[in-house]
Amino acid sequence: MMAGVALVSDQGVRLGEAREPGEEPLNIRGLTVSYGQVPAVYSIDFSVKSGSLMGIVGPNGAGKSTVLKAAMGILPLISGQVTFFGKPLKEARHRVAYVPQRASVDWDFPATVYDVVLMGLYPSLGLLRRVSKADKAKVAESLAKVGMQDFVDRQIGQLSGGQQQRVFLARSLVQQADVFLLDEPFAGVDAATETAIMGVLKGLQEDGKTIISVHHDLSTVSTYFDHLFLLNRKAVAYGPVAEVFTKENLSIAYGGKLAAAQLDTMGL
Amino acid sequence: MGSEFVALGLTPVLISAFAGMACALPGNFLVLRKQALIGDAISHVVLPGIVVAYLLTGQVSTWPMMLGAAGAAVISVVLIEMIRRLGRIEYGAAMGVIFTTMFAAGVLLLEQSDTSRVHLDVEHALFGNLETLIWLQSDGWGSLLDPLSLAQLPPQFFRMVIAFFVISAFTYIFWRPLVLISFDEAYARTIGTQATVVGFLLVVLAAMAAVAAFDAVGSIIVIAMILCPPATARLLTNDIKTQVFLSLILALGATLIGYVVAGYLPLWLGYSNTLSAAGMIATVSGLLLASSAIYGRHRKRVI
């Protein structure tokens, strides 16, 4: 595959990257999802290398969140195959954590920060098992990682947008997963939160975890991510940022919507 | 007034109290999921089911009516879902279409059929027949300890008590998934919660409360109790467990106050007519909601 035009082939696997085919943290083949009659994303192929910090980038309405939701079984697939570590989601659920868009829930819900983070432990708690001291410690530890340890008993409706986002991230951390899928974690958050979240994600990567995050801000792509998936209803390209984040690919993904001035700020 | 109250007043009060609590319990989650209208829909759509059950069996008995009501509820859920998908309109609109149509069909069926032999009419559907649920076999408070007298309690009483405890048990067991799908249904799916099943369970619990309560207390109380006590409780606390407990207490309180105001207050004031207990209970629950909306601790919302 030529550098700079890392178009996705049917095989999708780049030469020179040693890995077991199909054992990637996330592998998507021929994914088509539609709302009503119109396909939202069409025949998407892509996979993520273990240990990468991957951004999913594309214009508004490109289907970035749709790909994540379909992969997590929130939206039904028209066609396609999604595997986590070579297995369907059902069998790999305990290794996968999802962070929804902050705006997707009503923060006016009668719950505290503790209540929300504890939800990440529901799979191990089951229906009736009592919350143990160890469980509480896990919640506290996750909150400390995102810098929210002082807010355990705070009503979630009283948090700022950035704090709410951190609570969502903490909830995914208690799941102790191996791959994390985040839907626009930086949408409407303050600069301090953005830095804190990015620090947590980098820390996860150092621990060998894989992170996939829908991202909006093209100017931070190169500093935040090492891998990139560029899409606009169809997959445009995926792979290392240096290969994928090019003028040619961006103009395919964004059409004429990107001004030359914007490209300049990205150093392209 | 001891023995007279036990014979005439105690059972209606207890039945409406259990009906109110049985409705309020699932109502908490329906309100949080912004599905409170479902309670309204259910209590309307069961009417044709009950009438059809009566027409088929020729008598007003518990199980055929429960089955008829449940059947009507299932049919309407399917129809609502169909209209929503085919018409691509929002849930509330599809529900509005179905429950008015089903209720109207029920009224037509009632008018066309000969139900004069039994107490089954439109008024009954709305207000129930609380005042007729009397315990004539009782002889003062001591009858509460007499198994023979207890067995003569109106069947609606046992039906309502059983419904309340079944609903309580399910709410207790499925507490975590119910809270989870009410807050963040998408996330619930990703951690393996059967969100569709739990959501359906919630509607079934509400339907069970509505159907059990319907013939005793009527749809007015059902609608009021699914919505008002949970909404009132929400304005008084920011903790969901406290909210659910408060909603039960509020349902109980509204029932007691409403019944006394309807049945005794006019007489004490020298009027000769009593008021509709069902209507007054619903009104009291509405007034409680209004006052908590004005004075409630947590009425201010963070934007």
Side-chain angles (χ1 to χ4, degrees):
Chain A
M1 201 164 288
M2 282 175 290
V5 207
L7 277 168
V8 179
S9 70
D10 282 335
Q11 286 74 37
V13 178
R14 222 180 318 282
L15 294 170
E17 278 180 17
R19 66 177 168 219
E20 290 285 311
E23 293 290 315
E24 301 94 343
L26 172 61
N27 188 314
I28 291 181
R29 289 279 158 265
L31 177 79
T32 299
V33 184
S34 83
Y35 298 109
Q37 301 292 318
V38 193
V41 293
Y42 183 72
S43 193
I44 300 274
D45 289 309
F46 94 103
S47 67
V48 187
K49 230 177 80 177
S50 183
S52 43
L53 179 42
M54 177 183 257
I56 299 185
V57 170
N60 283 330
K64 305 181 290 287
S65 301
T66 304
V67 170
L68 285 199
K69 285 181 188 158
M72 292 308 299
I74 299 165
L75 289 175
L77 316 184
I78 300 288
S79 64
Q81 241 194 348
V82 177
T83 53
F84 293 92
F85 304 100
K87 289 174 185 159
L89 178 62
K90 250 186 199 171
E91 292 164 39
R93 221 181 268 288
H94 59 287
R95 300 184 68 183
V96 187
Y98 171 70
V99 182
Q101 271 182 31
R102 184 171 57 85
S104 67
V105 306
D106 179 6
W107 290 90
D108 199 21
F109 194 84
T112 61
V113 167
Y114 170 83
D115 296 331
V116 172
V117 177
L118 189 70
M119 288 172 185
L121 292 174
Y122 278 8
S124 62
L125 284 170
L127 289 178
L128 294 171
R129 193 167 74 72
R130 287 180 71 97
V131 178
S132 67
K133 271 196 179 147
D135 295 325
K136 284 182 185 164
K138 280 182 198 167
V139 170
E141 192 191 335
S142 294
L143 280 171
K145 278 184 189 158
V146 299
M148 288 286 289
Q149 62 277 13
D150 299 333
F151 294 83
V152 191
D153 296 319
R154 185 69 65 89
Q155 184 62 30
I156 55 170
Q158 294 166 359
L159 300 174
S160 72
Q163 291 168 332
Q164 290 171 346
Q165 188 65 57
R166 293 187 205 200
V167 170
F168 261 7
L169 182 60
R171 180 176 69 175
S172 76
L173 294 178
V174 289
Q175 290 179 250
Q176 301 194 306
D178 294 316
V179 55
F180 291 77
L181 282 70
L182 299 90
D183 199 347
E184 298 232 19
F186 305 125
V189 306
D190 51 291
T193 297
E194 185 156 342
T195 313
I197 291 176
M198 212 47 231
V200 172
L201 298 185
K202 297 258 187 204
L204 286 171
Q205 187 186 26
E206 276 160 28
D207 293 340
K209 314 285 188 188
T210 308
I211 300 103
I212 302 154
S213 176
V214 169
H215 193 61
H216 217 78
D217 179 9
L218 289 177
S219 68
T220 47
V221 163
S222 310
T223 43
Y224 284 3
F225 302 106
D226 54 28
H227 283 69
L228 195 63
F229 174 38
L230 198 55
L231 97 157
N232 189 359
R233 294 185 182 270
K234 290 181 177 186
V236 175
Y238 73 90
V241 169
E243 289 174 36
V244 174
F245 199 57
T246 64
K247 229 178 211 175
E248 291 81 3
N249 281 338
L250 285 171
S251 65
I252 294 171
Y254 285 80
K257 286 173 220 160
L258 278 190
Q262 277 177 288
L263 289 166
D264 283 344
T265 64
M266 290 174 256
L268 295 171
Chain B
M1 62 172 252
S3 66
E4 188 194 319
F5 173 75
V6 173
L8 302 178
L10 184 63
T11 35
V13 166
L14 284 178
I15 290 172
S16 32
F18 277 105
M21 292 191 296
C23 291
L25 204 44
N28 280 289
F29 299 99
L30 291 176
V31 166
L32 288 172
R33 278 165 67 82
K34 301 179 173 59
Q35 290 183 333
L37 202 58
I38 280 187
D40 204 342
I42 290 169
S43 58
H44 280 82
V45 301
V46 296
L47 182 63
I50 287 176
V51 179
V52 167
Y54 164 74
L55 291 177
L56 290 178
T57 60
Q59 52 184 331
V60 183
S61 56
T62 306
W63 290 109
M65 284 195 160
M66 295 280 260
L67 284 176
V74 170
I75 289 172
S76 61
V77 167
V78 172
L79 286 176
I80 288 169
E81 202 56 32
M82 259 174 63
I83 290 184
R84 193 173 71 90
R85 296 221 170 139
L86 295 177
R88 272 178 241 153
I89 54 173
E90 59 169 315
Y91 202 74
M95 216 148 57
V97 170
I98 288 304
F99 79 69
T100 47
T101 312
M102 295 280 279
F103 190 71
V107 170
L108 275 181
L109 274 171
L110 261 182
E111 303 264 302
Q112 292 303 312
S113 59
D114 176 26
T115 53
S116 51
R117 284 179 299 119
V118 294
H119 192 55
L120 190 62
D121 49 45
V122 176
E123 202 173 308
H124 177 183
L126 287 176
F127 303 115
N129 53 350
L130 259 185
E131 286 84 354
T132 68
L133 300 173
I134 48 181
W135 189 23
L136 287 176
Q137 290 75 10
S138 68
D139 181 25
W141 291 100
S143 298
L144 283 174
L145 299 171
D146 175 11
L148 281 177
S149 295
L150 283 176
Q152 297 300 320
L153 276 165
Q156 286 91 342
F157 172 77
F158 298 106
R159 201 188 305 162
M160 211 58 252
V161 171
I162 291 170
F164 173 68
F165 282 107
V166 170
I167 292 167
S168 302
F170 271 102
T171 308
Y172 179 76
I173 294 168
F174 291 96
W175 178 265
R176 279 175 187 153
L178 281 169
V179 172
L180 190 54
I181 65 161
S182 302
F183 174 59
D184 192 349
E185 182 163 337
Y187 177 78
R189 286 174 198 276
T190 70
I191 59 170
T193 303
Q194 297 292 325
T196 312
V197 177
V198 180
F200 189 71
L201 172 78
L202 176 60
V203 174
V204 169
L205 292 181
M208 189 190 281
V211 170
F214 181 78
D215 132 72
V217 300
S219 56
I220 299 273
I221 286 195
V222 172
I223 296 166
M225 289 300 174
I226 283 182
L227 200 125
C228 294
T232 310
R234 176 65 193 95
L235 295 171
L236 298 176
T237 176
N238 265 336
D239 176 62
I240 185 161
K241 272 184 195 154
T242 316
Q243 179 193 319
V244 170
F245 277 116
L246 271 179
S247 75
L248 294 178
I249 293 166
L250 286 161
L252 194 63
T255 307
L256 298 179
I257 297 171
Y259 194 84
V260 169
V261 169
Y264 297 97
L265 191 64
L267 301 179
W268 293 338
L269 292 178
Y271 294 95
S272 56
N273 294 333
T274 58
L275 296 165
S276 150
M280 187 53 75
I281 290 169
T283 305
V284 169
S285 71
L287 290 174
L288 287 175
L289 176 57
S291 51
S292 77
I294 299 169
Y295 301 109
R297 270 178 63 209
H298 299 286
R299 65 187 191 282
K300 287 224 172 67
R301 289 286 162 263
V302 182
I303 299 160

